[in-house]
Amino acid sequence: MIFIRKKIIEKIKKEAKYIFPNECCGFLSGLKNKNIYMIDDYHSCKNISRKPAQEFRIDPIYQIKLQKK
């Protein structure tokens, strides 16, 4: 089961409205306890796609840095 805090959903909605009509992209992070995932943060990412209104591409360097964090 996955739980996403309401403040995280609102943060994603706000960014998506700001970036529209381009694709909004980012990562979710949180904790896992047995089969329960608690999402408690959203990490916005710049869309580096050449066609941002049609697809998204996340900078792999940012992705690696975030995963290490």
Side-chain angles (χ1 to χ4, degrees):
M1 181 146 325
I2 300 171
F3 293 96
I4 302 176
R5 297 182 187 281
K6 187 173 182 169
K7 70 177 185 171
I8 302 304
I9 293 171
E10 294 304 318
K11 190 175 178 182
I12 295 167
K13 285 181 182 179
K14 184 178 178 180
E15 179 171 340
K17 286 180 184 178
Y18 175 75
I19 296 201
F20 182 82
N22 292 340
E23 292 284 329
C24 173
C25 51
F27 291 96
L28 300 173
S29 65
L31 301 172
K32 178 185 174 191
N33 186 359
K34 297 183 182 177
N35 290 330
I36 298 174
Y37 296 85
M38 180 58 79
I39 304 301
D40 57 15
D41 206 355
Y42 168 70
H43 309 273
S44 175
C45 299
K46 181 179 177 185
N47 185 350
I48 62 171
S49 170
R50 291 183 182 165
K51 300 180 275 181
Q54 299 168 3
E55 64 185 17
F56 72 90
R57 184 168 299 205
I58 296 171
D59 181 351
I61 294 171
Y62 180 78
Q63 181 178 356
I64 291 167
K65 285 180 182 180
L66 186 59
Q67 287 174 324
K68 286 181 178 181
K69 186 177 174 184

